[in-house]
Amino acid sequence: MSVLKVSSLYKSYGKRRVLDNFSLEIDTSEFVSLLGPSGCGKTTALKIISGFIKPDFGSVSIENFDVSEVPPEKRNTAMCFQSYALFPHLTVKENIKFGLHEKKIPQAQANILFEEAISQLSLEKELSKYPNELSGGQQQRVALGRALVTRPKIILFDEPLSNLDAILRGSVRDEIKRVQSEFNLTAIYVTHDQSEALSISDRVVLMKDGKIEQVDTPENIYDSPSSYFSASFVGISNIHQINNINKIDENQYYVDTNIGQLKIYCDKFFDTNNYISWRPENAIIEDKSSKSINGIIKSVAFQGSFTELEVEVGSDSIKIITQKRGLKKGQDISFSIHPADIHVINN
């Protein structure tokens, strides 16, 4: 069941349009990430959903009720800000209880909600401390507790991990996902970090220049990118222009590219204005044959569980990721790509 429906949002600042016909539906208990580079409109979309910004055009509905003109405090949403936005003059206990007081929740119920929140986030020992006495990870947990304690219909995260170091990012990210799952919360999570979006989301909304580029599960966003931008922004891709097309059979083709002729499967119309993409880990290193792609290794980067290669094939430079050991710079290499791992993408 859809809990949030955002319809045809437009927003401009002067001549710059930051949201362009942004529409999205999110189901109850779903975790959805808005992913994209800085300036793509993801935070603007989040703030329109929360009510902190008004769109130039479009509507926001929560549980089939239009809240476009409803102020933030009455939308049954809660925001976790990038800067935490804790009150410096209030203790942890007072910060977390603030929303309960604002919403005038009866004392007995408020106490139950408060105890559940601090228990879930292991904040019992920090209640008398002030924000400046806490680590970044603790402050983020307090901000999460303050947002969770009122049991909002939708919780909104605006790059909540950006101020944390790499080790804390992973642990707090896991905490957010755990709490969201245990409380069956609907969550919208803004990030420019693709690994965060892929690891935490039920669906990813990939954005570019104020528009939605692709919406899908993390697996499909990665495995089946729909456009040049999708393939290049999420993960590492090798992307090639299609120079010529020869049909073999129904949905099977040979395409000529700068690295040679490749067999692909495709069930939609495409032409030489399209590209193909494939992931570096899908290269199959093999003995040289008439059907293999042949190149020269230009660099070798050992990464522990895998090795990343830069390979020169004709006039192109491509990436290969392999678990094969002992490969050296300057060595000849031959490989193939299974047709199912090659995707036709739009420009």
Side-chain angles (χ1 to χ4, degrees), residues 226-228 239-245 255-257 264 266 268-277 343-347:
S226 63
S227 68
Y228 195 109
I239 302 175
H240 313 288
Q241 176 77 52
I242 296 173
N243 299 324
N244 191 44
I245 303 167
V255 294
D256 294 329
T257 72
I264 68 169
C266 189
K268 62 183 179 182
F269 172 80
F270 70 101
D271 58 25
T272 53
N273 291 315
N274 291 100
Y275 292 79
I276 59 166
S277 74
H343 304 281
V344 175
I345 57 175
N346 299 320
N347 192 355

Side-chain angles (χ1 to χ4, degrees), residues 6 9-13 16-20 22 34 39-56 60 79 158 190 207 210:
V6 179
L9 293 184
Y10 288 84
K11 183 65 181 178
S12 297
Y13 294 105
R16 179 171 168 263
R17 179 165 285 176
V18 293
L19 278 184
D20 190 348
F22 180 93
L34 306 185
C40 71
K42 54 189 185 293
T43 295
T44 300
L46 193 76
K47 289 183 176 179
I48 289 175
I49 293 168
S50 67
F52 287 102
I53 294 177
K54 282 195 171 186
D56 299 330
V60 177
M79 177 83 85
D158 184 15
V190 162
M207 296 180 64

Side-chain angles (χ1 to χ4, degrees), residues 262-295:
L262 299 170
K263 184 180 180 181
I264 68 169
Y265 302 147
C266 189
D267 59 1
K268 62 183 179 182
F269 172 80
F270 70 101
D271 58 25
T272 53
N273 291 315
N274 291 100
Y275 292 79
I276 59 166
S277 74
W278 53 279
R279 299 294 185 184
E281 62 269 25
N282 292 136
I284 304 165
I285 297 176
E286 58 190 17
D287 293 334
K288 187 173 183 178
S289 72
S290 59
K291 295 183 178 180
S292 62
I293 303 166
N294 306 304

Side-chain angles (χ1 to χ4, degrees), residues 208-223:
K208 176 190 176 189
D209 298 332
K211 297 181 179 181
I212 293 177
E213 189 81 5
Q214 185 173 355
V215 183
D216 216 324
T217 63
E219 292 85 355
N220 287 340
I221 288 278
Y222 185 84
D223 291 334

Side-chain angles (χ1 to χ4, degrees), residues 89-105:
H89 62 289
L90 300 181
T91 64
V92 168
K93 181 177 181 179
E94 292 165 337
N95 264 285
I96 293 175
K97 282 195 167 185
F98 182 81
L100 296 170
H101 295 315
E102 286 293 297
K103 296 202 173 198
K104 297 182 172 57
I105 294 173

Side-chain angles (χ1 to χ4, degrees), residues 66-316:
D66 191 332
V67 297
S68 302
E69 300 298 324
V70 175
E73 65 273 14
K74 294 184 178 179
R75 288 199 180 191
N76 200 11
T77 62
M79 177 83 85
C80 271
F81 294 96
Q82 179 179 350
S83 60
Y84 314 135
L86 300 177
F87 297 111
H89 62 289
L90 300 181
T91 64
V92 168
K93 181 177 181 179
E94 292 165 337
N95 264 285
I96 293 175
K97 282 195 167 185
F98 182 81
L100 296 170
H101 295 315
E102 286 293 297
K103 296 202 173 198
K104 297 182 172 57
I105 294 173
Q107 189 63 46
Q109 183 185 358
N111 288 338
I112 293 171
L113 293 172
F114 173 76
E115 292 297 333
E116 286 183 356
I118 63 170
S119 175
Q120 287 288 341
L121 295 166
S122 302
L123 289 169
E124 295 93 338
K125 296 181 180 179
E126 321 299 337
L127 296 181
S128 62
K129 294 181 180 179
Y130 289 89
N132 64 356
E133 299 176 288
L134 304 175
S135 67
Q138 289 171 327
Q139 289 184 50
Q140 184 59 70
R141 283 193 286 134
V142 174
L144 181 57
R146 187 178 60 186
L148 287 171
V149 74
T150 58
R151 296 291 192 276
K153 186 59 62 177
I154 302 170
I155 188 164
L156 309 166
F157 296 94
D158 184 15
E159 305 214 38
L161 308 184
S162 59
N163 292 330
L164 304 179
D165 60 40
I167 295 175
L168 271 178
R169 285 171 75 94
S171 62
V172 176
R173 179 196 67 204
D174 294 344
E175 187 78 3
I176 288 172
K177 182 61 179 177
R178 180 186 66 80
V179 172
Q180 179 266 340
S181 179
E182 287 187 6
F183 283 101
N184 290 317
L185 294 168
T186 303
I188 306 174
Y189 188 98
V190 162
T191 182
H192 63 272
D193 187 317
Q194 55 182 274
S195 63
E196 278 181 22
L198 295 179
S199 65
I200 206 170
S201 308
D202 298 313
R203 281 191 300 154
V204 175
V205 180
L206 184 60
M207 296 180 64
K208 176 190 176 189
D209 298 332
K211 297 181 179 181
I212 293 177
E213 189 81 5
Q214 185 173 355
V215 183
D216 216 324
T217 63
E219 292 85 355
N220 287 340
I221 288 278
Y222 185 84
D223 291 334
S224 303
S226 63
S227 68
Y228 195 109
F229 176 75
S230 295
S232 59
F233 187 80
V234 179
I236 303 171
S237 288
N238 296 299
I239 302 175
H240 313 288
Q241 176 77 52
I242 296 173
N243 299 324
N244 191 44
I245 303 167
N246 294 296
K247 187 169 184 177
I248 307 168
D249 203 345
E250 187 69 23
N251 300 334
Q252 297 186 49
Y253 304 84
Y254 282 121
V255 294
D256 294 329
T257 72
N258 287 347
I259 67 167
Q261 189 177 76
L262 299 170
K263 184 180 180 181
I264 68 169
Y265 302 147
C266 189
D267 59 1
K268 62 183 179 182
F269 172 80
F270 70 101
D271 58 25
T272 53
N273 291 315
N274 291 100
Y275 292 79
I276 59 166
S277 74
W278 53 279
R279 299 294 185 184
E281 62 269 25
N282 292 136
I284 304 165
I285 297 176
E286 58 190 17
D287 293 334
K288 187 173 183 178
S289 72
S290 59
K291 295 183 178 180
S292 62
I293 303 166
N294 306 304
I296 300 171
I297 298 174
K298 289 299 181 183
S299 69
V300 179
F302 178 65
Q303 301 290 337
S305 61
F306 64 90
T307 299
E308 187 176 292
L309 309 175
E310 182 182 356
V311 178
E312 185 179 274
V313 181
S315 60
D316 274 13

